[in-house]
């Protein structure tokens, strides 16, 4: 009885299926994060509008700053929180000519923009940042190995 050819074929099919699934998950997560970022921006701007404030403009340079911090928290490179805030603020000032104000909201856990924005609106310091006199925003989202989502939102004027 020769079982080797079936074993090779099964191994090939499992490998091919795994690779296809992995590529699909990467694409889904990238698209999902982009959609989630847009939802966070939209809900933040609706909240600001309801409070008589202008919309925030998303800047890619600020997104990169926020994304790096979210990735660092998700990977455990830095602990959850505002470690390195001064460095991120200085980097934002270099990217935005004439910028003086900088604030940051971080969170982990929520799986939707609605949950995230509600959590921040219910927290006085985070709410104050969302309703601050800022003109620009950057949003970063990363997921850790267990699937927990980490968020960073930075504000600049």
């Amino acid at each position: 009885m020769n079982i080797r050819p079936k074993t090779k074929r099964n191994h090939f099919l499992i490998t091919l299926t795994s690779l296809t699934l992995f590529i699909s998950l990467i694409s889904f997560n990238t698209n999902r994060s982009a959609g989630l970022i847009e939802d966070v921006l939209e809900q933040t701007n609706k909240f600001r509008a309801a409070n008589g404030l202008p919309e925030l403009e998303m800047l890619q340079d600020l997104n990169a700053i926020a994304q790096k911090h979210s990735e660092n928290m998700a990977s455990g490179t830095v602990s959850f929180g505002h470690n390195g805030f001064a460095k991120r603020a200085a980097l934002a000032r270099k990217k935005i000519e004439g910028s003086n104000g900088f604030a940051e909201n971080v969170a982990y856990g929520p799986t939707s923009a609605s949950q995230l924005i509600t959590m921040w609106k219910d927290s006085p310091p985070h709410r104050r940042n969302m309703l601050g006199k800022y003109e620009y925003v950057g949003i970063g989202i990363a997921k850790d190995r267990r699937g927990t989502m980490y968020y960073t939102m930075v504000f600049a004027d």
Side-chain angles (χ1 to χ4, degrees):
M1 175 180 219
N2 188 352
I3 60 170
R4 196 174 283 277
K6 282 186 178 180
T7 303
K8 284 184 178 181
R9 187 176 70 214
N10 287 346
H11 179 69
F12 173 75
L13 289 174
I14 289 170
T15 302
L16 182 61
T17 302
S18 297
L19 182 60
T20 302
L21 181 60
F22 178 72
I23 290 170
S24 297
L25 286 173
I26 289 172
S27 299
F28 174 76
N29 285 338
T30 301
N31 292 337
R32 185 165 187 263
S33 289
L36 189 53
I37 287 170
E38 291 299 324
D39 288 348
V40 170
L41 177 64
E42 180 181 345
Q43 290 194 29
T44 300
N45 280 333
K46 282 182 181 179
F47 179 55
R48 287 176 61 85
N51 285 276
L53 296 169
E55 289 189 351
L56 296 169
E57 179 185 342
M58 189 173 346
L59 295 181
Q60 292 306 313
D61 285 339
L62 292 179
N63 282 354
I65 292 168
Q67 184 63 37
K68 182 68 174 165
H69 187 54
S70 290
E71 289 171 1
N72 286 341
M73 290 187 297
S75 69
T77 303
V78 299
S79 60
F80 172 74
H82 300 283
N83 294 334
F85 174 82
K87 184 177 179 181
R88 288 187 294 284
L91 185 57
R93 279 191 290 279
K94 287 181 186 176
K95 300 286 184 179
I96 304 169
E97 189 175 323
S99 176
N100 291 316
F102 185 79
E104 173 180 86
N105 285 356
V106 296
Y108 72 93
T111 56
S112 72
S114 177
Q115 291 171 339
L116 176 67
I117 297 305
T118 297
M119 187 169 72
W120 280 340
K121 287 191 316 190
D122 292 342
S123 164
H126 296 102
R127 179 186 185 91
R128 192 169 32 255
N129 288 343
M130 291 171 62
L131 297 176
K133 294 183 180 182
Y134 299 106
E135 187 175 348
Y136 306 109
V137 67
I139 302 166
I141 302 171
K143 191 184 288 190
D144 71 8
R145 290 185 306 225
R146 295 183 206 136
T148 302
M149 305 288 284
Y150 286 79
Y151 302 87
T152 303
M153 180 182 265
V154 295
F155 306 87
D157 65 1

